[in-house]
Amino acid sequence: MIAFGPVPSRRLGKSLGINNIPDKVCSYACVYCQIGRTIKMEVERRAFYNPELILKEAKEKIEKARAKGEHVDYITFVPDGEPTLDINLGKEAELLKELGIPLAILTNSSLIWRKDVRKDLLKFDFVSLKLDAVSKGLWRKIDRPHKSLKLDEILDGMLEFRKEFKGKLVTETMLIDGVDYGDEFEKIAEFLKKLKPDIAYIAIPTRPPAEKWVKPASEETINRAFQIFAKALGSDRVEYLIGYEGNAFAFTGNVEEDLLSITSVHPMREDAVEDFLKKANADWSVVEKLLKEGKIIELEYEGRKFYMRRLKSRNL
């Protein structure tokens, strides 16, 4: 099945997925990949499906969705491998634009050093670039790239793309346990300052990963990354993607639900929680209850207290 959904996405609303790469052809063999181990490591672009077939399948899915009264916010290339390996990507984007729905793509960034790939990506309205590390050792350990790829070229390609791209650009940094990040977050933050993404997402694996030893990073690690990235970009441009369903920042009138919703996207400083509770005519006992139930966790960073939703997926 090439077209699937639409499925709910916090980043993209209701998204119709396009699987333009067969399972699992990729330029990386990421240790945390939630599709499984890479079957074929490739870096040369080639044709996989007929672009007309992709358009036909997408059209049919959209018609079915609309018949059920469902809205499609984005058509998103989110395949079982690396989408930019598809040499017909630009042609497919042009055909799908006829449907009048914004186009998104989630790429691991590995081929963005190529001019033809950047040209194809310019046809999208929303581009998500993977940025797990800017140091070669960590990049090789986490993303396990094809041996011909060079990290410096990829990072330069991302900056080149940013100069030309007028749509919404986001980055995604996956954090896992058992990795010594050292000062890597500071280094990534420096790069993010140059790249100027609209949002820098911090993610963790939420489904079984390719390698059994992989676990999500701890709440402390995630909070440290958030604070360092936020210092570089501003806290309104850094968000978690930690696998909680529900409508983030949806104020339901239920104080507990709202606190859990917000702290699954951003850590909240103690004074911000106090302000929130005042507005909701509630007191600190709400926080104590959530702490006791193990639904949120209290963290300390640079002498300040923060509150974050506990990661259920730590038990993977």
Side-chain angles (χ1 to χ4, degrees):
M1 191 187 291
I2 296 170
F4 62 93
V7 294
S9 159
R10 207 184 79 216
R11 285 172 288 185
L12 299 165
K14 278 286 181 79
S15 165
L16 181 85
I18 301 292
N19 190 359
N20 68 320
I21 302 285
D23 186 8
K24 176 170 182 268
V25 181
C26 200
S27 47
Y28 281 177
C30 300
V31 294
Y32 58 74
C33 186
Q34 293 158 83
I35 296 162
R37 288 186 174 175
T38 298
I39 296 163
K40 281 188 89 176
M41 288 280 280
E42 291 186 21
V43 288
E44 288 307 318
R45 303 186 84 195
R46 62 183 173 94
F48 293 92
Y49 300 109
N50 184 326
E52 298 289 346
L53 176 65
I54 289 179
L55 175 65
K56 180 176 171 282
E57 282 210 17
K59 253 184 181 167
E60 284 170 5
K61 282 281 181 189
I62 289 161
E63 280 164 16
K64 281 179 186 170
R66 284 178 177 158
K68 288 179 190 167
E70 282 194 57
H71 179 70
V72 178
D73 297 297
Y74 276 93
I75 295 171
T76 309
F77 281 70
V78 54
D80 290 340
E82 170 47 36
T84 60
L85 282 167
D86 183 356
I87 204 159
N88 289 322
L89 184 65
K91 174 84 191 293
E92 289 153 10
E94 279 166 16
L95 287 173
L96 290 166
K97 277 198 167 178
E98 293 170 19
L99 302 175
I101 296 169
L103 297 181
I105 187 166
L106 277 57
T107 168
N108 67 15
S109 317
S110 61
L111 303 182
I112 203 164
W113 57 273
R114 294 178 58 134
K115 215 173 195 170
D116 59 335
V117 168
R118 292 201 299 273
K119 191 180 169 190
D120 286 351
L121 290 174
L122 287 172
K123 293 176 175 145
F124 287 80
D125 303 287
F126 178 108
V127 174
S128 173
L129 301 175
K130 183 204 285 287
L131 182 66
D132 289 338
V134 295
S135 304
K136 285 173 193 169
L138 268 184
W139 174 61
R140 289 203 177 100
K141 178 176 177 150
I142 298 166
D143 293 344
R144 298 192 299 197
H146 187 281
K147 61 186 177 189
S148 69
L149 292 170
K150 297 183 175 79
L151 181 58
D152 292 346
E153 287 183 351
I154 292 167
L155 296 174
D156 288 346
M158 288 167 83
L159 294 173
E160 277 303 308
F161 177 69
R162 187 45 166 154
K163 286 177 197 170
E164 300 174 80
F165 186 57
K166 301 288 184 273
K168 184 166 184 178
L169 184 79
V170 306
T171 57
E172 190 172 319
T173 302
M174 185 74 82
L175 301 184
I176 59 173
D177 211 6
V179 169
D180 180 7
Y181 283 100
D183 61 353
E184 187 68 12
F185 298 153
E186 286 83 359
K187 289 177 184 171
I188 294 172
E190 276 306 304
F191 181 77
L192 287 170
K193 253 183 178 166
K194 292 183 214 163
L195 186 67
K196 301 183 177 73
D198 294 289
I199 302 277
Y201 285 106
I202 295 168
I204 55 161
T206 55
R207 290 185 295 277
E211 303 301 334
K212 284 197 172 79
W213 62 267
V214 171
K215 302 278 182 215
S218 68
E219 290 92 344
E220 288 80 5
T221 300
I222 295 165
N223 183 51
R224 186 163 71 88
F226 181 95
Q227 303 302 337
I228 292 165
F229 291 7
K231 207 170 183 180
L233 295 175
S235 59
D236 58 329
R237 285 167 61 199
V238 186
E239 283 189 22
Y240 296 145
L241 277 179
I242 55 178
Y244 288 104
E245 337 63 38
N247 192 2
F249 289 117
F251 289 91
T252 61
N254 180 318
V255 184
E256 285 188 24
E257 278 180 26
D258 291 344
L259 265 178
L260 290 172
S261 174
I262 297 167
T263 55
S264 71
V265 180
H266 290 285
M268 284 182 85
R269 225 166 66 177
E270 189 173 27
D271 54 347
V273 176
E274 284 167 353
D275 288 348
F276 175 84
L277 291 169
K278 267 181 210 162
K279 283 176 196 164
N281 291 318
D283 60 31
W284 197 256
S285 63
V286 175
V287 176
E288 285 169 358
K289 179 176 179 280
L290 291 173
L291 285 166
K292 197 176 173 185
E293 290 170 354
K295 288 179 180 173
I296 62 169
I297 186 169
E298 186 180 272
L299 303 162
E300 208 164 288
Y301 184 78
E302 292 188 341
R304 291 184 177 275
K305 282 182 184 172
F306 290 85
Y307 296 87
M308 176 182 164
R309 188 160 179 170
R310 185 180 287 279
L311 303 174
K312 290 178 192 170
S313 50
R314 291 277 295 158
N315 307 318
L316 279 177

